[in-house]
Amino acid sequence: MRAALAGDADAYRRFLHAVTPHLRTLARQSCARFGAPATDAEDAVQEALLAIHLKRSTWDPARPITPWISVIVRNKLIDVLRRSGQGTVPIDDLVDMLPANDAFACAEPGEVERLMGKLKTQQRAVIQAVTVEGCSAREAATLLGMSETGVRVSLHRALRALAALYQTHAG
């Protein structure tokens, strides 16, 4: 994608060709999770490819591309599901689609831990349990005395807050 942004049309074609199977996998897994037909996955993939094309200049080459692409696929899938009558998508399922693992791939050593210190105690505990210790939402709920849904919502909010802190710090 970096070469494509620099004007290399062949690199751009190769990028789109290489990323399409990843988009299909994300969309199919999500459709299966939501009980939506496989045709919705392909619609989301096509819309995501168009969005990537139209919005490619918004990607920051200094950041990992996977989270950027994942958000586009997620948003396009939600649009397709709404149009096809699957208007309500449980937040529990959306939290699982968040690209949390790659969000801070370029962070300096210790930076994420320092920024986590600025989060609320419960948010830190949820991130620690789920992303650091590898607990499932159910295991974290038991460990932290919360509901499973509460863990998922708290994780989503904590990651969003952490990303905002990181953006502020990096910007």
Side-chain angles (χ1 to χ4, degrees), residues 27 39-49 72-73 76-77 80:
T39 55
D40 286 350
E42 191 57 33
D43 290 346
V45 168
Q46 295 306 314
E47 289 188 28
L49 285 168
I72 290 172
V73 172
K76 293 306 173 186
L77 181 62
V80 168

Side-chain angles (χ1 to χ4, degrees), residues 55-123:
K55 303 282 187 182
R56 66 187 181 270
S57 65
T58 66
W59 175 62
D60 179 359
R63 301 254 185 229
I65 197 164
T66 303
W68 182 79
I69 290 172
S70 297
V71 168
I72 290 172
V73 172
R74 182 194 70 204
N75 291 343
K76 293 306 173 186
L77 181 62
I78 290 169
D79 291 346
V80 168
L81 293 176
R82 278 191 198 125
R83 284 194 305 269
S84 70
Q86 299 279 335
T88 57
V89 178
I91 191 169
D92 293 351
D93 295 324
L94 290 178
V95 170
D96 291 339
M97 294 172 62
L98 293 174
N101 293 340
D102 292 340
F104 304 99
C106 296
E108 296 174 19
E111 185 174 13
V112 173
E113 292 80 8
R114 186 182 61 72
L115 294 174
M116 277 182 56
K118 296 182 178 187
L119 296 175
K120 295 176 185 173
T121 303
Q122 184 181 38
Q123 289 177 329

Side-chain angles (χ1 to χ4, degrees), residues 104 111-112 115-117 119 127 157-167:
F104 304 99
E111 185 174 13
V112 173
L115 294 174
M116 277 182 56
L119 296 175
I127 288 178
R157 290 178 180 162
L159 290 172
R160 182 178 289 176
L162 191 58
L165 286 168
Y166 181 73
Q167 289 286 29

